[in-house]
């Protein structure tokens, strides 16, 4: 019976690793914006600034967090 517990435990670890990898792939793909989405984000940012929820309201299927993360990874540069 101990062998079964160890086997089940290993399968659970592998399942969680697969799920984590799938989540990372889904998350990365969500940061890929189409050219139209990118244009709209830039236009809206110039109009309303960092009001990410307002911008997200204009792009179906995108959250404020996704847009902010995309903006920061693409356009925001820290000046030292």
């Amino acid at each position: 019976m101990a062998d079964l517990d160890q086997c089940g435990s290993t399968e659970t670890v592998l399942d969680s690793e697969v799920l984590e990898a799938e989540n990372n792939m889904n998350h990365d793909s969500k940061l890929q914006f189409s050219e139209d989405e990118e244009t709209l984000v830039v236009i809206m940012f110039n109009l309303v600034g960092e009001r990410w929820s307002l911008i997200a309201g204009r792009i179906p299927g995108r959250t404020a967090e996704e847009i902010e993360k995309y903006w920061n990874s693409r356009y925001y540069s820290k000046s030292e």
Side-chain angles (χ1 to χ4, degrees), residues 48-62:
V48 301
E50 295 182 359
R51 296 176 65 191
W52 306 118
S53 60
L54 188 61
I55 297 170
R58 302 288 180 218
I59 304 175
R62 297 290 184 179

Side-chain angles (χ1 to χ4, degrees), residues 4-46:
L4 291 177
D5 289 340
Q6 288 176 347
C7 182
S9 168
T10 303
E11 288 176 8
T12 303
V13 170
L14 293 176
D15 289 343
S16 66
E17 289 174 358
V18 169
L19 287 174
E20 183 177 341
E22 288 174 355
N23 286 338
N24 287 338
M25 288 188 325
N26 290 337
H27 183 67
D28 291 342
S29 68
K30 285 189 173 194
L31 285 180
Q32 295 177 354
F33 280 47
S34 70
E35 188 175 329
D36 289 340
E37 288 175 319
E38 183 175 352
T39 301
L40 186 55
V41 169
V42 171
I43 290 169
M44 291 295 296
F45 181 85
N46 288 330

